[in-house]
């Protein structure tokens, strides 16, 4: 991954989380609290303009500085995904508003196979988000081996809500304009139309998420349908950053997500955008890879560990500055929800099986097929050799881990009889519920007993039992915990059937012969 040397050299563009983007655009006003959650008027068609690099020698190639149609994201790709580029790949862009050229940005090649073995996949660098640019220049050189064939500069216009993309080839210019759109393959199944069962209920509330339709995803790019985790269970969440060098407006976040989507599909050849979820500095969460917010969707985010995890990527570079409190809260909400679907404590540990032999950023070696212990909320660098999610965001993960609601909250017994979530118990009326949570008692303010959704009894945060009496009938019983930080979690329900007490029969008055009874 791009190292701190690049940060020192450029000052404005630093480590990029793989896969992700860096922003090399000029600064803009920070509209705190604004977001893209208002959505778009429908799918937004992004476009890709591809300019062939001109060979200067066997080891050097370039695209000379030139005018282009406007674009928002750029990267370099080549024909053979397994081929390596020796030397430096550097690019710069011209700001469409000010006319100023950005400093040269070194683009780091992405690792092949991040989204599995893909027919027709291209080798590619990390993309760089430039905001709004109308000029570009690229240079490749400094290596000792011949460059791979088919080197191209990819310029992505993510389009604007309410119109289609506009990065079209001008007459007489080198390169070819390619619409970032493809017709669905015969028999292909779009995720939006797929009839899939809902994911499991979570003990934590489902956060508000800007859906793919709202951020303008062009679903015609995704004609293969989603993949789901083979085990059907999410065991960990990996945190990433996408690297942004300059302040961006949160109203631009949807365009950044669209740019990533188009680049990952049309340049990398992936089935979809790599991340499961993204969050901006205003705390707005975006649905990433298709397949359902509540489902265990297979992403392409943490090489070797995608098959048992999900991911959240923070828009922005967090090498020299931490993520905003709003962004951290967004990560925490999603972690609590996704891990709460599978009875996983976001402040706990888990065992993941390595899918590749490699080393992580700290030098820990992994062997494919072997189990390794991870924090349930981990950084990208914990599983892969990258600085991601940035030197300043990585230590903030401890704050995220401890900022959730009470975890693994569950009812264990009804009237001293063991019961599992979803189970059924009977009672003549009195109800005693035993419950547990993996969160330490000092972090919990109180527990409430819910009967048919309404609180009927409250106990202190160190309690493990609560009692009430039920009216005759069938009832849905849950425990709701309120943490000291104010966050709430609710156990999965059990059913309790309260039987009506038997009414004693009134003895008949025996008749007395010759007596009327009055």
């Amino acid at each position: 991954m791009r190292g701190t040397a690049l940060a020192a050299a450029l000052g404005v563009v630093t480590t990029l989380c793989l896969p992700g983007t860096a922003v090399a655009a000029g600064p803009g006003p920070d509209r705190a609290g604004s977001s893209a959650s208002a959505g778009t008027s429908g799918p937004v068609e992004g476009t890709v303009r591809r300019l062939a690099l001109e060979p200067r020698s066997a080891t050097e190639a370039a695209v000379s500085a030139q005018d282009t149609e406007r674009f928002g994201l750029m990267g370099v790709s080549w024909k053979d995904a397994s081929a390596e580029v020796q030397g430096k790949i550097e690019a710069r862009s011209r700001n469409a508003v000010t006319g100023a050229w950005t400093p040269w940005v070194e683009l780091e090649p992405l690792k092949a196979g991040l989204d599995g073995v893909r027919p027709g996949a291209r080798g590619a660098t990390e993309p760089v988000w430039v905001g709004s640019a109308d000029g570009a220049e690229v240079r490749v050189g400094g290596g000792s081996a011949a460059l791979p064939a088919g080197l191209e500069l990819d310029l992505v216009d993510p389009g604007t809500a309410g119109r289609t993309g506009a990065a079209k080839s001008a007459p007489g210019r080198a390169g070819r304009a390619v619409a970032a759109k493809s017709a669905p393959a015969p028999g292909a199944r779009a995720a939006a139309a797929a009839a899939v069962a809902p994911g499991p209920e979570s003990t934590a509330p489902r956060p508000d998420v800007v859906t793919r339709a709202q951020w303008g995803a062009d679903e015609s790019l995704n004609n293969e349908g989603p993949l789901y985790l083979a085990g059907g269970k999410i065991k960990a969440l990996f945190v990433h950053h996408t690297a942004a060098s300059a302040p961006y407006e949160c109203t631009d976040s949807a365009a950044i997500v669209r740019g990533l989507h188009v680049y990952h599909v049309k340049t990398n050849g992936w089935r979809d955008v790599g991340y499961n979820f993204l969050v901006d500095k205003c705390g707005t969460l975006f649905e990433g890879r298709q397949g359902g917010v509540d489902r265990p969707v297979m992403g392409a985010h943490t090489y070797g560990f995608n098959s048992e995890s999900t991911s959240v990527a923070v828009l922005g570079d967090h090498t020299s500055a931490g993520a905003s409190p709003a962004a951290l809260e967004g990560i925490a909400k999603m972690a609590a929800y996704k891990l709460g679907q599978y009875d996983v404590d976001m402040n706990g540990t888990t065992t993941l099986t390595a899918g590749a032999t490699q080393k992580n950023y700290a030098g820990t070696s992994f062997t494919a097929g072997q189990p390794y212990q991870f924090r349930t909320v981990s950084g990208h660098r914990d599983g892969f050799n990258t600085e991601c999610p940035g030197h300043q965001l990585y230590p903030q993960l401890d704050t995220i881990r401890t900022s959730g609601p009470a975890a693994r909250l569950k009812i264990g017994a009804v009237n001293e009889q063991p019961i599992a979530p979803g189970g059924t118990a009977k009672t003549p009326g009195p109800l005693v519920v035993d419950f547990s949570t993996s969160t330490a008692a000092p972090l919990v303010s109180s527990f409430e007993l819910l009967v048919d959704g309404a609180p009927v009894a409250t106990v202190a945060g160190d309690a493990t039992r609560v009692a009430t009496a039920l009216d005759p009938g069938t009832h849905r019983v849950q425990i709701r915990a309120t943490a000291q930080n104010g966050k709430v979690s609710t156990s999965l329900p059990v059913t309790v059937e309260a039987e009506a007490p038997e009414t004693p029969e009134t003895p008949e008055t025996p008749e007395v012969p010759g007596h009327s009874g009055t």
Side-chain angles (χ1 to χ4, degrees):
M1 299 309 298
R2 187 181 304 146
T4 53
L6 175 63
L10 298 182
V12 295
V13 178
T14 55
T15 303
L16 180 63
C17 177
L18 184 161
T21 62
V23 173
D30 180 3
R31 296 180 182 175
S34 64
S35 77
S37 59
T40 72
S41 59
V44 179
E45 181 185 344
T47 55
V48 181
R49 175 178 168 81
R50 292 170 177 158
L51 304 176
L53 271 67
E54 299 177 358
R56 300 290 172 82
S57 69
T59 60
E60 295 182 338
V63 169
S64 58
Q66 61 184 269
D67 297 339
T68 67
E69 297 295 330
R70 289 203 183 192
F71 64 94
L73 179 144
M74 64 192 300
V76 172
S77 65
W78 50 94
K79 184 176 180 180
D80 185 356
S82 63
E84 295 184 2
V85 176
Q86 291 194 8
K88 289 184 179 181
I89 305 174
E90 296 177 298
R92 64 175 184 158
S93 63
R94 186 179 64 202
N95 187 290
V97 177
T98 67
W101 286 85
T102 64
W104 286 98
V105 178
E106 183 178 352
L107 305 180
E108 187 75 10
L110 291 166
K111 184 172 181 60
L114 273 171
D115 201 15
V117 178
R118 304 278 302 166
R122 292 176 62 83
T125 67
E126 303 159 333
V128 178
W129 176 258
V130 296
S132 179
D134 61 2
E137 185 176 7
V138 171
R139 62 192 184 194
V140 182
S144 58
L147 296 175
L151 280 165
E152 293 181 337
L153 169 62
D154 290 17
L155 306 177
V156 178
D157 177 1
T160 301
R163 70 167 180 85
T164 57
K168 297 179 181 178
S169 177
R173 286 183 182 168
R176 53 192 171 92
V178 179
K181 188 172 183 176
S182 60
R189 178 172 57 91
V196 294
E201 189 175 352
S202 178
T203 55
R206 173 170 165 163
D208 292 332
V209 177
V210 178
T211 66
R212 290 171 65 91
Q214 289 174 321
W215 57 256
D218 182 357
E219 297 295 4
S220 67
L221 298 181
N222 307 100
N223 55 20
E224 300 175 59
L227 293 175
Y228 296 100
L229 303 189
K233 178 182 170 110
I234 292 171
K235 299 170 68 175
L237 180 144
F238 283 98
V239 177
H240 303 251
H241 72 166
T242 64
S245 65
Y248 63 90
E249 298 181 29
C250 289
T251 47
D252 295 329
S253 299
I256 297 174
V257 176
R258 289 197 302 272
L260 281 169
H261 180 214
V262 171
Y263 189 86
H264 285 174
V265 175
K266 299 303 295 184
T267 294
N268 295 94
W270 296 353
R271 67 191 305 117
D272 196 356
V273 64
Y275 303 116
N276 295 100
F277 302 97
L278 303 97
V279 64
D280 68 14
K281 64 184 177 182
C282 293
T284 303
L285 283 159
F286 294 81
E287 179 184 8
R289 180 156 287 208
Q290 67 177 197
V293 170
D294 62 333
R295 302 275 291 172
V297 177
M298 170 83 80
H301 51 86
T302 306
Y303 184 73
F305 297 99
N306 290 321
S307 63
E308 296 178 295
S309 65
T310 189
S311 62
V312 177
V314 185
L315 301 184
D317 168 44
H318 300 293
T319 300
S320 58
S324 69
L328 297 178
E329 179 69 7
I331 299 170
K333 286 180 178 179
M334 186 54 70
Y337 171 68
K338 293 305 296 181
L339 297 179
Q341 288 185 290
Y342 303 96
D343 196 32
V344 176
D345 187 343
M346 59 188 284
N347 192 29
T349 60
T350 189
T351 300
L352 303 179
T353 300
T357 298
Q358 59 177 328
K359 289 184 179 181
N360 69 4
Y361 184 70
T364 300
S365 295
F366 301 117
T367 301
Q370 297 300 308
Y372 298 92
Q373 190 175 75
F374 282 81
R375 299 295 298 270
T376 52
V377 174
S378 286
H380 187 185
R381 64 170 63 184
D382 293 319
F384 188 75
N385 187 17
T386 173
E387 293 179 4
C388 182
H391 295 316
Q392 299 306 311
L393 174 53
Y394 186 74
Q396 290 179 303
L397 298 185
D398 279 335
T399 299
I400 293 171
R401 294 177 182 118
T402 57
S403 65
R408 305 191 73 184
L409 180 64
K410 63 185 69 175
I411 293 174
V414 170
N415 291 348
E416 299 187 345
Q417 296 300 310
I419 192 170
T424 300
K426 293 184 179 182
T427 179
L431 176 68
V432 178
V433 174
D434 290 282
F435 56 89
S436 63
T437 174
S438 59
T439 299
L443 299 179
V444 182
S445 174
S446 64
F447 296 99
E448 294 171 287
L449 175 62
L450 305 182
V451 176
D452 300 325
V456 298
T458 302
V459 291
D462 59 354
T464 59
R465 173 176 284 192
V466 62
T468 191
L470 295 180
D471 292 331
T474 300
H475 302 280
R476 177 183 170 97
V477 176
Q478 296 168 281
I479 294 293
R480 182 167 64 196
T482 300
Q484 294 287 359
N485 59 19
K487 294 184 179 179
V488 172
S489 57
T490 306
S491 72
L492 299 182
V494 299
T495 299
V496 179
E497 299 175 354
E499 301 170 346
E502 295 184 4
T503 303
E505 296 183 3
T506 303
E508 295 183 2
T509 304
E511 292 187 10
V512 178
H515 193 279
S516 65
T518 59

